[in-house]
Amino acid sequence: MPAAKPVSIRLMAYQVGFGDSFLLTFRYPREERHVLIDFGTTHLPDGAPRAAAHMQQVATDIAERCRGAPFAIVATHRHADHISGFSTEKPKHAKRSSAGFRTSGDIIRALSPRVVVQPWTEDPRLPTGASGPRAARAVSNRGFRSLLGVMAKISEAAVREGDTLRAALKSGSYHASVARELRFLGENNLSNASAVRNLMAMGRAGRAVYAYYGSRSGLESFLPGVDVHVLGPPTVVQSSAVKSQRKTDPDEFWHLRNRLHAYWREQARMLVGANVAAAVRKPRAGARAGRGPFPSAPVFDPRAVPPELRWFRNRALVARGEQLLELVRAMDDVLNNTSLILLFRIGPLKLLFPGDAQIENWSYALTGRDAKRNRELLGGVDLYKVGHHGSLNATPRTLWGLFEKKGPQKALRTIVSTLEDVHGHEEKRTEVPRRTLVAALRSNSTYFTTQSLRGELSRLVEIELTGNRPRFSAWKAIVP
């Protein structure tokens, strides 16, 4: 066993484009212990190799640094930009190559993680909570989890229709941006089945922990001398208590819940059954009449939309795309609000990793029964991993206001893993990273973004813990 507490910590931020991958190394006098927090991407920066090859490089670097040492994984939630690297599915080119091909998920699994921490929504057994397994609580949690499964079908339809829109509406930057975001959010909200299965397998081989607000993190014995506070996500029962649902008619509450499930199932049924591609079929290029008085005259595919109706078709497609985009955005928010929020405390040092948690997730920690204690904990944060790649709604003003070390002295350290021009729209003030948030981070903290990594795989910061207060190094470029 290691000594009572770490003497230093190393944080490595990997360049995964629009995604997260952080490696925390806790250095004890006689050994090191590693925690990988997320490992995924949906969009790599220009010049990077294709995703599978790039994530292999990252996984290989992680393996070289962690091999033989105690290793643990935190997967904050199931969005692809946080767990796609855990996939063991071979890319098409590898399926034709030798059987010895190792995916990034294979490489990480070979490190034999002792603990795999995920949010409660990933638990196939759905534990109900510390106060006892009540039937109503089990149904509530299970119902929410099944709803996430229904939403995956809508995500598959969003990917297909994003491609259809992009092909049918080539002109117009607005149309292109709708199609692009539709496909991006659709892919990010897919179930990532291979990665999910690999995380479950690694958990079974070691120890699987499905955490929720106030529960144990599962890292207590793995990281001696480190307190890990789980500040989110709340369970359905916990969050409903905040909203005073107990005072409402329980029959009405379940009636509304059933209506919500019925609504999403009907949306999934319609989208899966729709054949949008047939509705936007274009005329065959170069087709000619071939006979009659004008044999060389161009003709149109009789199965395609007539020319006089194409304006209406395009308008209908854009409207359909915008409506589906709103559905997928809503699902995106739901999954983000299942994200783990972990606060690591080592003596005077506090590190906050909230995944993609948004305001609905944060609200229970900030306004619930333990709000006073949580606000005191958050007030002393030294390093904040910026939520949701710099999205404005993932750093609530209430949370930002609590950070006592922000300000012109820049004692607060902030880090964001992100990529511009991938998610959101500047004209709608939804771009990620949000410019106003970045400006506040730059002026009130020592700010680091993975976008500054040009041709680099990662950078690291060292945190010494041997004095009265933690001492941070500058971010260092390293050789893979």
Side-chain angles (χ1 to χ4, degrees), residues 157-354:
V159 173
R160 291 197 307 270
E161 296 205 18
D163 291 340
T164 299
L165 275 173
R166 194 158 47 182
L169 304 170
K170 291 184 178 178
S171 62
S173 59
Y174 174 71
H175 299 161
S177 66
V178 170
R180 183 187 66 192
E181 186 176 2
L182 193 57
R183 180 173 179 80
F184 170 80
L185 288 176
E187 286 184 328
N188 202 31
N189 281 282
L190 288 175
S191 63
N192 303 295
S194 176
V196 170
R197 287 194 297 268
N198 194 25
L199 285 165
M200 291 178 63
M202 290 187 289
R204 287 195 298 268
R207 180 188 175 205
V209 177
Y210 300 98
Y212 53 92
Y213 175 86
S215 73
R216 292 174 68 83
S217 68
L219 297 171
E220 288 79 10
S221 60
F222 182 79
L223 295 174
V226 180
D227 295 322
V228 185
H229 299 268
V230 183
L231 300 181
T235 66
V236 173
V237 174
Q238 287 174 328
S239 61
S240 68
V242 176
K243 299 174 184 177
S244 301
Q245 293 277 1
R246 295 175 187 270
K247 296 180 181 179
T248 63
D249 183 347
D251 293 333
E252 178 65 9
F253 172 75
W254 291 113
H255 175 61
L256 293 175
R257 182 181 70 90
N258 290 336
R259 287 179 61 186
L260 177 67
H261 280 242
Y263 169 78
W264 284 104
R265 288 195 184 98
E266 182 61 18
Q267 293 296 324
R269 186 191 66 77
M270 289 190 300
L271 290 168
V272 170
N275 187 3
V276 179
V280 299
R281 184 180 286 113
K282 293 188 173 184
R284 293 194 298 267
R288 296 290 185 268
R291 58 184 177 179
F294 306 103
S296 298
V299 295
F300 296 99
D301 186 340
R303 298 170 300 170
V305 179
E308 65 271 16
L309 295 181
R310 284 183 195 144
W311 183 88
F312 297 99
R313 176 211 57 182
N314 288 356
R315 297 288 292 180
L317 279 174
V318 170
R320 178 180 173 84
E322 289 176 336
Q323 290 171 350
L324 182 53
L325 190 54
E326 290 304 314
L327 287 176
V328 181
R329 282 174 180 161
M331 294 189 305
D332 195 60
D333 290 343
V334 170
L335 274 181
N336 285 335
N337 283 320
T338 68
S339 178
L340 286 170
I341 303 173
L342 299 184
L343 187 146
F344 296 82
R345 183 168 64 174
I346 312 98
L349 176 69
K350 294 179 183 177
L351 312 174
L352 179 60
F353 287 83

Side-chain angles (χ1 to χ4, degrees), residues 47-166:
R50 54 189 168 189
H54 185 81
M55 298 307 277
Q56 275 181 305
Q57 291 180 15
V58 175
T60 300
D61 190 79
I62 293 170
E64 289 298 321
R65 298 177 189 280
C66 301
R67 187 171 286 111
F71 179 69
I73 290 172
V74 173
T76 59
H77 62 298
R78 70 160 57 192
H79 266 152
D81 55 357
H82 290 256
I83 68 167
S84 62
F86 294 115
S87 172
T88 58
E89 185 176 357
K90 293 182 180 180
K92 291 181 180 179
H93 73 89
K95 291 178 181 178
R96 297 188 297 267
S97 63
S98 66
F101 182 90
R102 298 177 74 208
T103 66
S104 55
D106 294 328
I107 296 170
I108 296 299
R109 186 173 57 194
L111 294 173
S112 302
R114 298 187 183 182
V115 186
V116 177
V117 187
Q118 298 181 80
W120 68 268
T121 50
E122 298 304 312
D123 186 355
R125 299 167 302 164
L126 285 173
T128 56
S131 60
R134 294 185 181 180
R137 295 188 176 192
V139 170
S140 175
N141 290 343
R142 188 178 298 113
F144 180 73
R145 191 169 180 272
S146 70
L147 187 62
L148 297 179
V150 172
M151 290 176 176
K153 295 182 180 179
I154 299 176
S155 298
E156 293 173 2
V159 173
R160 291 197 307 270
E161 296 205 18
D163 291 340
T164 299
L165 275 173
R166 194 158 47 182

